[in-house]
Amino acid sequence: MTANALLHALVPLVDDLARDLAEGERYRRLLEAVRTLVPCDATALLRLDGEWLVPLAVDGLSSDTLGRRFKVDEHPRFQLLLQSDGPTRFPAGSRLPDPYDGLVEGMEGEQLEVHDCLGCVLRVGERPWGLLTLDAMEAERFSAQDLDALQTFASLAAATVSVADRLQLLASRASDEHQRAEIYRAAAGETAPRPLLGHSAVIRRLLDEVRTVGASDLTVLVTGETGVGKELVAQALHAASPRATRPLVSINCAALPEALVESELFGHVKGAFSGAVGDRRGKFELADGGTLLLDEVGELPLAVQAKLLRVLQSGQLQRLGSDREHHVDVRLIAATNRDLAEEVRKGRFRADLYHRLSVYPLRVPPLRERGRDVLLLSGAFLDENRSRLGLRNLRLAAEAQAALLAYDWPGNVRELEHLISRSALKALSRQTPRPAILTLTVADLGLEEGEAGSPASARENPAAARARVPAQPLKQAVEGYQRRLIVAALRRHGDNWSAAARELGVDRANLARLAARLGLKSAAAEP
């Protein structure tokens, strides 16, 4: 090997270190350079990933080699290379099996007993990063001079893979920061999180519990009907914790296709599935040091529940498509409108996961149990709409206040919020000229029995409304009311489930699940 030949092989690699190249192209050039320096029939670059060696680039080996994974302790040649300080040559007479037998291009299916092998470990810092291997079909192809050349080449090869690693790390961090920025932008877009408003005894008890458990790291299971404000409780728990300066990351388990849930939670590596064009961190890693809210946790598939349980037990996770483990420090809050204990009994939710999640259960009371909190919340929503509509004031007539107190609120706080917004907009559109002060009446609210399914006339006071409710078990009464309300909404919208869901202030998928649970699939279509 002459000095000119060595320079001819090394100079392009030095030039490549300063160039912005795709990872695959950088590795291809590396193998091209080593074959120029040490002529051979096949070469490969393998990265050490735990107890496995993963091919990143090959030249002269069959294409399917890139899809293979070599377990180090099953391949003694690889073990020796990783333990050596410099290049190692395996002569033709070596009795150690060759990992590439049958993989050399043009020799598929043949057991290659006579060829020459050379390889060396690549180190980044003091740790082995992987291997560079060279194979020749002829015995005695490699010489002592080739060993020296490979020793010289190894340092530059290590610099090449180190640069590729740093670029990949920067790209991963950029993607990570982009995801975090989206989280922070979403939080900033809400200005400040809404406080948990209420003076009722049940809300005061809830706020006391939030302050108590918020300061701990206990896992909290927030339960309650749709629309009661479970996400606000999660925000309050995070704000009361030592993690308040770290991100609160939320994921709606019901809104994700089953095939993507695992990737969204735990992340994935490049090539893990079709469309995985790069490494991506999941919500657990994004929430590292902070809080993760699993909303609608009862919708998680059983297979994902098992993996979630493992993360909760050990704090270790694996990205989809990777064997490498990542440690995360996350405080978990789960929220659901389902009765998870009942789901466990029916085999739809793992008992061990349920007990892990419900270390500290918090029930958010429905709006109908909160008495005059309805008017307190109405005031907050009225003021939001006043500002949005450019009014000097937006208020409720006395009869409208009585109607709100008498209504049963199947959609809870979310329904109240939507009702106030809708009523204000409709009432304003009927006013000519445009008023500075707008008063919402009973008619504007549209809560009359028959139109919205209220169990009491909008003009009745709360005591009269309660007196008209027939004596029956609470669960039966609630389900009967929900059934009538859904059927009425579907009829008004010609069995359009999306439109009915919007009116009722719930997600379409949640409405469909509730209807199925109430046996309404056929009833909803009846004339």
Side-chain angles (χ1 to χ4, degrees), residues 76-93:
R77 293 199 187 206
F78 285 158
Q79 285 180 303
L80 283 175
L81 290 175
L82 287 169
Q83 293 166 4
S84 301
D85 291 330
T88 300
R89 177 173 174 249
F90 298 96

Side-chain angles (χ1 to χ4, degrees), residues 62 115 145 148 251 303 347 357 367 388 410 421 435 454 461 513:
S62 60
H115 61 301
Q145 191 178 25
D148 293 338
I251 182 170
L357 294 178
L367 189 54
R388 189 180 302 131
S421 298
S454 171
N461 60 38
R513 279 191 288 271

Side-chain angles (χ1 to χ4, degrees), residues 243 265-266 284-285 288-289 306-319 324-332 356:
R243 301 171 181 261
L265 283 175
F266 310 123
F284 265 96
E285 288 186 77
D288 193 19
K307 296 185 178 181
L308 174 60
L309 179 65
R310 179 178 178 274
V311 176
L312 295 181
Q313 289 172 332
S314 66
Q316 301 286 124
L317 62 84
Q318 292 177 345
R319 294 182 188 172
R324 182 178 297 179
E325 292 197 332
H326 299 266
H327 180 78
V328 290
D329 173 23
V330 172
R331 197 267 182 91
L332 190 70
R356 277 276 176 180

Side-chain angles (χ1 to χ4, degrees), residues 225-227 230-231 251-256 295-296 299 337 410-411 414-415 418 486 490 496-517 521:
E225 299 174 8
T226 297
K230 295 186 289 294
E231 188 169 359
I251 182 170
N252 186 337
C253 302
L256 291 171
D295 201 7
E296 303 291 356
E299 309 301 323
N337 59 5
R414 186 180 301 146
E415 182 185 8
H418 293 167
I486 294 172
L490 286 167
N496 185 318
W497 286 82
S498 296
R502 282 194 296 272
E503 177 186 314
L504 296 173
V506 298
D507 294 329
R508 186 190 186 285
N510 287 343
L511 178 62
R513 279 191 288 271
L514 176 60
R517 200 153 58 237
K521 285 296 185 180

Side-chain angles (χ1 to χ4, degrees), residues 197-200 370 372-381 416:
L197 296 177
H199 293 156
S200 60
R370 296 177 55 180
R372 296 186 67 83
D373 279 355
V374 173
L375 299 184
L376 184 68
L377 292 164
S378 296
F381 298 141
L416 173 62

Side-chain angles (χ1 to χ4, degrees), residues 418-428 430 438 440-441 443-446:
H418 293 167
L419 175 69
I420 296 295
S421 298
R422 182 173 62 248
S423 301
L425 190 59
K426 287 182 176 180
L428 184 61
R430 292 194 291 265
L438 181 63
L440 300 184
T441 66
D444 293 325
L445 297 178

